[in-house]
Amino acid sequence: MSEMKETDLCHKAEAAKILQCHPDTLKRWRGKKLIENIHYVQRSPRSIRYVRPLIEDLAINWNNEAGHQRAIENYRAGLLSNRKKKR
């Protein structure tokens, strides 16, 4: 996901505000509700950024797993690495 725009990423405080939880709760949710390289990117052990559009969608579709999965697929389809090369 190297072509992900920097504006799509946010810090844990903003992600926690979107999800209406405490920032420390995000750590517990990583690996359970939040998926690495989908909902968040770990650049180093101390640098984790959350993917704002998917965090916002997760907040809306918390109990609608199928709806959130469609949002993940649509977001990933829009990334440069998933576009067909023009000749």
Side-chain angles (χ1 to χ4, degrees):
M1 285 194 183
S2 60
E3 63 276 15
M4 185 182 309
K5 294 179 282 189
E6 194 66 31
T7 57
D8 285 353
L9 301 177
C10 63
H11 294 277
K12 72 177 181 179
E14 186 175 349
K17 185 176 180 182
I18 292 168
L19 292 172
Q20 298 179 353
C21 66
H22 192 275
D24 292 341
T25 304
L26 294 172
K27 187 174 184 178
R28 285 198 318 262
W29 286 350
R30 287 196 307 259
K32 295 177 184 168
K33 193 72 171 178
L34 304 177
I35 304 165
E36 187 171 6
N37 295 325
I38 301 290
H39 295 104
Y40 67 95
V41 179
Q42 188 165 358
R43 295 180 171 176
S44 72
R46 297 182 57 97
S47 178
I48 297 173
R49 298 292 180 266
Y50 295 86
V51 181
R52 182 183 293 115
L54 294 178
I55 294 295
E56 289 170 348
D57 185 78
L58 180 63
I60 294 167
N61 290 310
W62 188 260
N63 293 318
N64 181 3
E65 206 169 302
H68 183 59
Q69 184 61 40
R70 281 191 305 275
I72 291 170
E73 291 167 6
N74 290 337
Y75 181 79
R76 294 184 80 187
L79 295 176
L80 291 175
S81 62
N82 292 327
R83 293 186 186 160
K84 291 186 178 182
K85 195 186 288 186
K86 292 183 179 181
R87 294 184 183 241

